[in-house]
Structure formats: C-alpha cells, structure tokens
Amino acid sequence: MSGSDTAPFLSQADDTDDGPVPGTPGLPGSLGNSKSEDPEVPDREGLQRITGLSPGRSALIVAVLCYINLLNYMDRFTVAGVLPDIEQFFEIGDSSSGLIQTVFISSYMVLAPVFGYLGDRYNRKYLMCGGIAFWSLVTLGSSFIPRERFWLLLLTRGLVGVGEASYSTIAPTLIADLFVADQRSRMLSVFYFAIPVGSGLGYIAGSKVKDVAGDWHWALRVTPGLGVVAVLLLFLVVREPPRGAVERHSDSPPLNPTSWWADLRALARNPSFILSSLGFTAVAFVTGSLALWAPAFLLRSRVVLGETPPCLPGDSCSSSDSLIFGLITCLTGVLGVGLGVEISRRLRRSNPRADPLVCAAGLLGSAPFLFLSLACARGSIVATYIFIFIGETLLSMNWAIVADILLYVVIPTRRSTAEAFQIVLSHLLGDAGSPYLIGLISDRLRRSWPPSFLSEFRALQFSLMLCAFVGALGGAAFLGTAIFIEGDRRRAQLHVQAGLLHEAGLTDDRIVVPQRGRSTRVPVSSVLI
C-alpha cells in the first residue's frame, strides 16, 4: 500500500473513543469499498458466543415473542369480529363504532415513544412483562361494562394501548440482537406472520365464542387468560441479549445510547426511515379500515343481495362473514408475508434495492384489487371474496420487509425509538383515524339518502374506496425509499462496525478520519465510494 496520506482511509480519530475499523483484525470486510460484500455472517457458534444464548434458546425466545404478537392482534380484532353486536348493544352508529378502534390506536400511538425511549435504555423483558399484565387486566374489565356506559368501553380500549405499546416497540429489537442478515429476515417473517394470523384468529374467536356462549361479552374474556400465560413465558424463557453485539461480531459491551434529542435528529435525517414509514402508514390506513369495517360491509352486502336477514335491534347478528373474513386474513397473511420475504431475498442477490421495490409492488398491486372487491360487492359476494383475497395477499407482503428495513438502516441503540416513531407516524396518519374517518364519511352519505339497507351498504362501499387511493400513495413512498436505501444502510453499518460516525457531526453527515497526519472530517460519501 502506498505511503501517501492524501487519500482518505478509515481509521480512528485521535480524540475519539470509537472502536476498531473495518479491515482491521477482528472485523471482516471493508466499508470503504463500495463493491465490497456485506460483512461475513457469524456462524451458530459465533452467535452463541456473542449473545450467550444457544441457537435453540434463541429460537425459543422468538417463538415466545411470536405467541405474544399473535395474542396482541387477536385481542385487537376480537372487537371487530363482534362489532355488529356491539353496535346493537350500545345503540351506536358507524362513526361511534369507528371511534372504538381510533381511541385504542391513539393511546397506543401516544405511548409508543415512551416505551421506545425506555426500551433503548432499560431491561426490555421486564418492560414487556409489566405492559402485557396491565393489558390483560384492562381487557378483562372491558367485558363487564353496562350498555349505558359506552364511554367506559372507549376508556378501557384506550388503556389496552399501554400493553401493546410496551410490546410492539421492543420485541423486534430483541430479534435484531439475536440474529443477523438472512437469519434475521427469516425470524422477522415468522414474527410478522402473527399479525395477519392473529388478526384472523381475532375475528374467528370473537364470532365463535359469541355463538357458543350466546353473549358477545365472552369474546373479550378469551385473550386475558392467554395473556397470563404470555407473562409467565416472558419471565421464564426470554433473556436480554446485548444490544448490537451480533452486528459488530463481538462480545464486547453494548454500544452506548445517545441522547433522545440526538436520536430524533438522526432519524429525521434518515430518508429511508422516513419514506418507508410513510409507506407503512398507507399499509396501516388500509388494513385498519378493512380490519374494522370489512365484516360489517360484507354483512350489508349479503343483506342487499337477499342472502341473509338484516340485523335488527334485539337480534343476534350473523357472524358468518366475520368467520370467513378471519380465515381469509389468516391465509393471506401467511401467503403474503412468506411471498414478500422470499421474493425480496431472491431479488437482493442482484438488486440491493429489492426490499422497498417489493413493498412498492405489493401496495400498488393491491390497490386495484381492493377497489374491485368493493365495486363487485352488489353483484357477487364470491367475486368480492376473491378480490379481497388477492388484495390482502399483496398488502401482507410488506409487514416483515418494512421491519427489516428499519433494523438495517437504524443503529441498534436507537431502534426502539425508531420503532416507536414509526408506530406514531403510521398510526397518527394511518389506522388511528381511518376507521373513524370511514365511519364518519359513511354516516354523512347515509344522511343524504333515504333510509334503507341499500343506503347503508352504498355509504360504506363508497367510503371504503378511499383505501385504494391511499394504497397507491404508499407505493409511491416505497419507490422513494429505493432511491436512498443503499447509502443509509452503509451508513448504519459503518457506525455499528467501526464506531466512526461522530454523533455531533450528524448535521453535516461527516465522519472523522486521519488525513495528512491529523484528524479531519470528510463526507461519508467520500469514504463509501
């Protein structure tokens, strides 16, 4: 190697406490070469040495986290499975029904940054245990509310957000600290299978338990018991792995967290994180709307077609559509998540932008099928189910990939914060308001038409068509993510493996290198190219 000191090269600055650099002993690979391969992935023995956990124990931890994620989404959509009965019991309209989900999501959204901050700094296992125990108690209490206290149901659904916020912001970061590369992608795909499968089980459990017990209140008493099991499993099985150690390929102490304000500034200047979060917001808007309103819409469609009697006050509403929609959600979730991860994994070999491109294709592809499912509902319920099946499959392709994008473009010590603010953004502009917005539009349309079952169907049909438009906007956001994904991923790798990204220099995107015998700052791009 030439002795010239004019060309920038990666090394530690004289006045920093950063670790070794890529290309030095103990750190495979070199991020200074744009054509270099990703760092070598540790084998099973290497992962066990770094995390202190055997491969079997790590897999068992993921299984426990998947069970709890399944339970979270099962509880969330049990209410949707018995929504017509809740409307009859409390004598409320569509806008009030949508408010049930909106209050829950709003609470969840507000509390997510709190648990994101705590999750980056304190024991994640105990935070999750406390949150899930509280959520289970509140869910059980919500099943005993009398019909004249609808506001109390809204309050308890808001408090349920405490438990979900404590879990959803933290659990993916545990998986990120147990696995790397393709192993991480596979484990995340398993973890996110629980979202559509749990959602579908919520519809199924809600409708079937109501039918067996003859009372919809019993549908809300299933998940609290399973929540007690979840807390015990968390306490006995899960262990806290060191943050970021598997990515540094070292069993050295975890990276030190930066200030919360520094975390926010860094995330705000990360275009891949911002744009992928906007794309995920569109996913949340569409899934939130469909999750609450699809069974009710399908029931109204059958009433208009004359296939089922209308749901009159004092009667038990038909739950067949909740059951069928739940089965479709389970199946399309498994197919969509698995399909998205596999397509992305294969395309990554030839295209480093594969992840956001697959997400974009899923959203853009789902939009026309969701529109067709709504347009065909008055003519054929079978065609409606077919188009819902295709649209939900394409929509589900995003879940695991979006989570993986966040984990590799954000450094380990601010991942819980990033998860929290992705939750805030996606719910604030997504499913926090979409169920209420759809219900509000539906009520306004109904008031302008003569009262009839057809008017109820048409109002909800037209309001749900907004989902197709929002889905197309989300696809555009993922296309924007593809522009920045390579540079943001390299920047995160540089920080994790070499510790060279000087936090104070985030505003000008520079790192410290020795040049002409002294330390100086140069743009990251000059080192990565």
Side-chain angles (χ1 to χ4, degrees), residues 278-346:
L278 288 173
F280 188 63
T281 299
V283 176
F285 185 100
V286 176
T287 55
S289 301
L290 293 177
L292 187 70
W293 289 115
F297 172 74
L298 293 167
L299 175 60
R300 294 181 189 184
S301 174
R302 286 186 183 276
V303 170
V304 170
L305 292 172
E307 297 181 5
T308 195
C311 187
L312 300 175
D315 294 340
S316 179
C317 301
S318 172
S319 58
S320 61
D321 290 298
S322 292
L323 178 63
I324 296 172
F325 185 73
L327 291 172
I328 288 177
T329 302
C330 287
L331 185 55
T332 57
V334 172
L335 287 175
V337 172
L339 190 64
V341 170
E342 184 61 22
I343 292 174
S344 179
R345 188 182 68 82
R346 292 178 180 273

Side-chain angles (χ1 to χ4, degrees), residues 180-211:
V180 290
D182 284 345
Q183 293 174 308
R184 176 190 291 170
S185 297
R186 282 192 289 269
M187 290 300 174
L188 284 172
S189 68
V190 173
F191 179 78
Y192 283 103
F193 275 139
I195 294 179
V197 174
S199 303
L201 288 176
Y203 296 112
I204 295 169
S207 59
K208 298 309 293 181
V209 170
K210 183 207 75 172
D211 290 344

Side-chain angles (χ1 to χ4, degrees), residues 63-111:
V64 171
L65 297 179
C66 288
Y67 166 73
I68 301 172
N69 206 30
L70 188 86
L71 192 60
N72 274 346
Y73 281 86
M74 182 177 169
D75 173 79
R76 187 182 298 188
F77 294 106
T78 298
V79 172
V82 294
L83 185 63
D85 294 277
I86 292 176
E87 286 185 322
Q88 294 295 339
F89 182 80
F90 288 104
E91 298 179 353
I92 55 176
D94 286 350
S95 57
S96 296
S97 299
L99 200 58
I100 296 173
Q101 190 76 346
T102 295
V103 167
F104 160 71
I105 294 296
S106 297
S107 168
Y108 173 45
M109 172 187 69
V110 170
L111 292 167

Side-chain angles (χ1 to χ4, degrees), residues 116 120 124 169 172-173 175-177 179 184 243-244 246-247 263 267 273 406-421 492 496:
D120 279 333
R124 293 171 283 187
T169 56
T173 69
I175 297 175
D177 289 332
F179 303 95
R184 176 190 291 170
R243 289 178 174 87
V246 293
E247 289 160 286
D263 291 346
L267 293 174
F273 169 73
L406 182 148
L407 293 173
Y408 65 64
V409 300
V410 176
I411 65 172
T413 53
R414 58 176 65 114
R415 281 176 181 159
S416 290
T417 299
E419 291 279 358
F421 277 90
V496 171

Side-chain angles (χ1 to χ4, degrees), residues 446 449-453 455:
R446 284 168 63 181
W449 297 329
S452 68
F453 294 121
S455 296

